[in-house]
Amino acid sequence: MRKFLVLSALGLLSAPVLAQTVTKQPQPGFNLFSVSQDIEIGRQSAAEAERQLPLLRNNNVDSYLNRVVQRLAAVAPGARYPYQIKAVNASEINAFALPGGPMYVNRGLIETARSEAELAGVLAHEMSHVALRHGTHQASKAYLTRSGLGILGGLLGKPAGGTAQILNTIGGVGLNALFLKFSRNDEYEADQVGQQIMAKAGYDPLAMATLFELLRAEQGRNPSKLEQFFSSHPSSANREARLRQYATSLGSGKTEVVGNFTTIRTGLRRLPLPSSQQVTQTAPPAQEPPAIGQVAVQVAAPSSRFLRFEHSSGFFAIDHPDNWNVYPSGLAVSMAPEGGVVNASDGRQVLLYGVIVNHYTPFAGAEERRSLSLERSYAPFEDRTKPRGTLEDATDDLVRTILSANSYLRAEAGSARSEVIDAAPGFSVVLSGVSPVTGEEERVRLYTRGLPDGHVIYALFTAPARNYDEVAQTFGRMLRTLVVNDAAAHRVTSSEGNPLH
């Protein structure tokens, strides 16, 4: 998979109010990994985690838990992951799942739950994190922001070392915090999908709400017992109300489906209490961007003769100078003259002079986008007098992603403006900064155009500041030739099974 995808993502679609949560089904977000890689990462992570976890190793308990999990897995959305669960001999209340399907639940949670349905609610929630690929989505996002990319650096090549390099950059496998700690938006999604799984499996989805209410009350009495659970499962004040309301829309079900929960719980309570053992999650390492060294950008002037590029899916078409190279991949295309792309010492290819056109939906969910925009870390379109539009939020999110992955860039004050691009609303923003690759000022102009489904197509034009005026006319002509087919499908799959967005 080529790294045109650095700024692409399938947005997480749940939102902070029930009406939006019900009508917009969560989907897996942008991911550098394939489903098969999720499974392999989960297998390696489980092997490492079990060196640290005090497993209960009770066949009766594990067999019962796996019957519940298989009942849930049979109706879970997404890929057919090899879900399996093991009980942990710890009195703290916690449960978690690793990418690809390994699941774990502390005996403290089993002993606290009042019914099989309440236990199934937590397991369905954790299973939803796997189905929605939240763990490797987090890892993918972390890799992009830590890999030291220049402006859209690495877009034209695959990371040297592939999966191993990405995992090394984010801190490896095992109890990696990236696989286990999720945003509040991720939690909303796992709640929604988890309740859907419960209902399809025959459980009463209301039980998820009653268990979370119980856990919140228990937190007040014994906070240390739930410290790890709530640190990795951020909860809002209205979570239980949301869960109750959504459960009503799904209908009622049973409190027991597999059966024998009371016997299992009673047996656990008769076992000796486990010694306290704090299981720590590993934080991703802080890494400096790899040094590339300064290089000079030397390119021929753009030709006045243009050729037409048409995306194979019919999604868009755009003209480009006939002396530029074209690098299509997935839903993206990069265009650059000879010398506009340089090779970094680690095998990455860095675009210094050229154009990217690609599809984008935000990394962040709707609630998180609004919250980030209000922080004004980058919010040129913020207008507190009226509701923000999807395109404004998506443009903010895209620029924040660029700035996060390219810390030398800054958004120029007053540069954001409304645009009309191929007869549709859009925005443009100017970014600039001293490139660590060239040691000279770099100028970037980003254009975003809305699509009818709330997604975005963007065009990004970049060149050294000393060359920008001479190429600006070419960039302008290219933008005017951009034609977007709003009805065309804009989701394709790579040969590795990765969704390319």
Side-chain angles (χ1 to χ4, degrees):
M1 178 180 63
R2 302 189 184 191
K3 296 198 305 189
F4 296 99
L5 312 178
V6 164
L7 298 181
S8 307
L10 176 61
L12 305 181
L13 300 177
S14 68
V17 295
L18 183 65
Q20 289 177 302
T21 305
V22 174
T23 58
K24 292 187 177 182
Q25 183 68 12
Q27 298 293 329
F30 164 72
N31 214 303
L32 290 171
F33 302 95
S34 66
V35 167
S36 62
Q37 287 171 321
D38 271 23
I39 295 171
E40 176 59 21
I41 290 168
R43 186 190 67 77
Q44 293 181 38
S45 294
E48 289 294 323
E50 289 178 19
R51 302 180 198 275
Q52 187 177 352
L53 293 169
L55 297 179
L56 185 66
R57 303 188 190 281
N58 183 299
N59 289 335
N60 288 336
V61 175
D62 284 346
S63 176
Y64 168 74
L65 290 172
N66 276 289
R67 289 198 301 274
V68 176
V69 163
Q70 294 312 311
R71 179 85 184 193
L72 298 171
V75 294
R80 297 294 92 191
Y81 291 108
Y83 293 102
Q84 286 194 333
I85 188 167
K86 295 180 181 180
V88 179
N89 193 24
S91 58
E92 293 81 12
I93 294 173
N94 200 16
F96 64 90
L98 295 166
M103 299 174 64
Y104 299 89
V105 59
N106 287 4
R107 68 179 272 188
L109 193 149
I110 303 172
E111 294 174 16
T112 300
R114 295 165 295 194
S115 69
E116 182 179 300
E118 286 192 340
L119 173 63
V122 173
L123 302 186
H125 174 97
E126 298 303 329
M127 184 176 289
S128 298
H129 283 308
V130 177
L132 293 169
R133 309 187 67 200
H134 284 157
T136 48
H137 169 75
Q138 291 277 87
S140 298
K141 184 164 65 170
Y143 175 75
L144 297 182
T145 59
R146 292 174 191 198
S147 54
L149 304 174
I151 180 60
L152 300 185
L155 293 175
L156 309 179
K158 192 173 181 178
T163 305
Q165 177 182 317
I166 297 173
L167 291 175
N168 181 64
T169 300
I170 65 171
V173 293
L175 295 174
N176 191 319
L178 290 169
F179 300 150
L180 301 174
K181 288 188 177 182
F182 306 113
S183 69
R184 186 166 285 118
N185 196 79
D186 291 341
E187 292 300 302
Y188 285 152
E189 291 192 329
D191 284 350
Q192 178 185 338
V193 173
Q195 285 188 299
Q196 293 171 359
I197 293 172
M198 291 179 71
K200 291 177 182 177
Y203 291 104
D204 187 350
L206 182 62
M208 186 183 289
T210 61
L211 181 67
F212 274 108
E213 287 174 340
L214 176 65
L215 296 185
R216 187 178 289 278
E218 181 68 20
Q219 183 186 27
R221 293 188 294 269
N222 190 355
S224 63
K225 195 173 183 180
L226 284 117
E227 179 180 1
Q228 192 169 56
F229 181 85
F230 281 111
S231 72
S232 58
H233 298 76
S235 182
S236 64
N238 68 340
R239 185 176 197 172
E240 291 81 25
R242 289 168 53 91
L243 288 167
R244 284 184 175 277
Q245 192 176 355
Y246 191 47
T248 301
S249 72
L250 294 172
S252 60
K254 300 177 181 177
T255 57
E256 289 206 20
V257 173
V258 169
N260 208 33
F261 169 77
T262 302
T263 300
I264 293 294
R265 185 183 60 180
T266 301
L268 279 174
R269 289 174 172 173
R270 290 173 177 167
L271 293 177
L273 291 175
S275 58
S276 178
Q277 180 171 351
Q278 184 67 28
V279 178
T280 58
Q281 299 169 356
T282 58
Q287 293 193 342
E288 293 295 323
I292 298 176
Q294 295 185 0
V295 300
V297 179
Q298 297 179 340
V299 299
S303 171
S304 60
R305 296 186 299 272
F306 276 46
L307 298 176
R308 189 74 169 162
F309 170 80
E310 296 184 359
H311 192 274
S312 59
S313 71
F315 180 33
F316 66 87
I318 189 172
D319 290 353
H320 63 89
D322 68 0
N323 63 341
W324 283 21
N325 298 317
V326 177
Y327 308 90
S329 178
L331 287 172
V333 64
S334 290
M335 301 172 174
E338 289 294 333
V341 177
V342 299
N343 292 318
S345 59
D346 62 358
R348 294 181 295 112
Q349 292 177 293
V350 183
L351 179 71
L352 299 174
Y353 185 119
V355 178
I356 298 286
V357 181
N358 203 352
H359 168 262
Y360 183 79
T361 51
F363 268 120
E367 182 187 38
E368 187 178 357
R369 291 201 308 275
R370 293 186 182 97
S371 175
L372 287 169
S373 293
L374 291 173
E375 290 176 9
R376 301 190 66 85
S377 56
Y378 178 76
F381 311 117
E382 182 180 347
D383 183 348
R384 294 171 186 254
T385 66
K386 62 181 180 180
R388 290 172 55 83
T390 301
L391 181 58
E392 288 90 334
D393 274 346
T395 303
D396 276 350
D397 188 88
L398 175 54
V399 174
R400 275 193 301 270
T401 301
I402 297 173
L403 299 182
S404 177
N406 304 273
S407 59
Y408 65 94
L409 287 175
R410 297 290 182 271
E412 292 189 1
S415 68
R417 63 186 62 180
S418 298
E419 304 280 356
V420 176
I421 302 171
D422 188 27
F427 292 111
S428 68
V429 185
V430 177
L431 314 173
S432 62
V434 176
S435 167
V437 180
T438 65
E440 61 179 308
E441 188 78 9
E442 184 170 78
R443 188 174 177 83
V444 180
R445 184 176 285 274
L446 171 71
Y447 293 88
T448 57
R449 177 196 184 275
L451 299 169
D453 60 359
H455 295 188
V456 169
I457 185 170
Y458 69 87
L460 189 147
F461 301 85
T462 183
R466 60 179 169 82
N467 299 112
Y468 204 92
D469 288 344
E470 67 187 45
V471 77
Q473 187 174 355
T474 298
F475 286 163
R477 178 176 171 183
M478 293 178 71
L479 183 68
R480 289 191 296 273
T481 68
L482 176 63
V483 175
V484 182
N485 180 354
D486 290 322
H490 37 268
R491 181 174 184 176
V492 297
T493 302
S494 75
S495 59
E496 291 184 339
N498 290 335
L500 309 181
H501 305 295

